[in-house]
């Protein structure tokens, strides 16, 4: 099987040594235990100049997303459908990726969460809303993971995800502030 490389087999550990006792990094499995999975956490906290109720109503409606999320071209969701738990839609990104999305948590004015899946990449995002003096704080927590050949692209995408989520939320805050002023 395969070309002869003229290399010897790796030698066993000597002197009573054994494998390192610490577990592998989260999501990575040994070669004989199946698919390699890479997961990376994302986090961002942004203060918006509007009450939590206004921010929640705007951010939890998928139809608004192309307006405040520059990476999206469009969102496919029925025009008359109000945001609800279990709502599904399809995003179309600027690079042509079309993840299938679902609302996984919806507690009015406090928590909204989604899960998206495209090929071997899965992403989750939860937004937590808290009223503060002069507006609200939106705390975003999530994870991007990939399996098999999609582990590397998922890891690459997650490297900048926290900064991108924060920038998107700040843009949403500017849009909401302009609407409240006008």
């Amino acid at each position: 099987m395969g070309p002869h490389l003229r290399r010897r087999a790796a030698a066993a550990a000597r002197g009573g040594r054994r494998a390192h006792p610490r577990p592998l990094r989260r999501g990575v499995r040994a070669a004989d235990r199946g698919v390699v999975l890479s997961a990376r956490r994302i986090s961002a906290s942004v203060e918006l100049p509007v009450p939590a109720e206004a921010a929640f109503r705007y951010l939890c409606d998928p139809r608004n997303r192309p307006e405040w999320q520059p990476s999206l071209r469009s969102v496919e969701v029925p025009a008359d459908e109000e945001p609800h738990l279990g709502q599904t839609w399809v995003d179309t990104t600027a690079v042509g990726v079309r993840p299938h999305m679902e609302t996984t948590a919806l507690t009015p004015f406090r928590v909204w969460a989604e899960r998206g899946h495209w090929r071997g990449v899965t992403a989750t995002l939860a937004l937590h809303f808290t009223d503060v003096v002069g507006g609200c704080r939106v705390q975003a927590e999530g994870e991007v993971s990939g399996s098999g050949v999609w582990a590397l692209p998922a890891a690459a995408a997650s490297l900048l995800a926290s900064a991108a989520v924060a920038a998107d939320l700040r843009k949403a805050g500017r849009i909401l502030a302009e609407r409240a002023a006008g």
Side-chain angles (χ1 to χ4, degrees):
M1 291 194 226
H4 180 63
L5 298 177
R6 296 178 195 234
R7 293 185 189 153
R8 293 185 297 191
R14 292 188 182 120
R17 292 184 308 166
R18 56 190 175 97
H20 197 283
R22 289 189 313 177
L24 292 173
R25 254 182 58 171
R26 181 170 182 239
V28 179
R29 296 181 182 168
D32 63 342
R33 299 188 91 200
V35 178
V36 173
L37 179 68
S38 172
R40 194 175 293 253
R41 300 286 305 160
I42 59 174
S43 180
S45 183
V46 176
E47 291 199 12
L48 305 182
V50 297
E53 181 177 348
F56 180 89
R57 288 184 190 278
Y58 181 72
L59 292 171
C60 78
D61 190 338
R63 293 170 292 208
N64 295 328
R65 292 179 75 143
E67 184 175 32
W68 59 271
Q69 199 173 351
S71 62
L72 291 182
R73 279 195 198 145
S74 65
V75 173
E76 294 173 20
V77 62
D80 60 343
E81 184 175 86
E82 291 300 314
H84 62 277
L85 187 61
Q87 180 180 26
T88 60
W89 67 95
V90 176
D91 287 342
T92 300
T93 67
V95 295
V97 173
R98 295 176 45 85
H100 293 268
M101 310 295 292
E102 178 184 5
T103 299
T104 58
L106 187 105
T107 304
F109 320 132
R110 295 289 161 234
V111 179
W112 176 83
E114 69 179 359
R115 177 180 50 239
H117 181 76
W118 180 78
R119 301 203 179 181
V121 178
T122 300
T124 61
L125 181 69
L127 301 179
H128 301 270
F129 299 82
T130 307
D131 280 311
V132 296
V133 175
C136 72
R137 179 178 300 114
V138 179
Q139 177 68 39
E141 299 290 338
E143 184 174 274
V144 179
S145 62
S147 60
V149 298
W150 298 101
L152 184 60
S158 67
L159 287 176
L160 300 175
S162 294
V165 167
D168 291 348
L169 291 172
R170 283 192 294 275
K171 182 173 182 178
R174 288 190 300 274
I175 291 167
L176 290 168
E178 289 171 9
R179 289 182 182 171

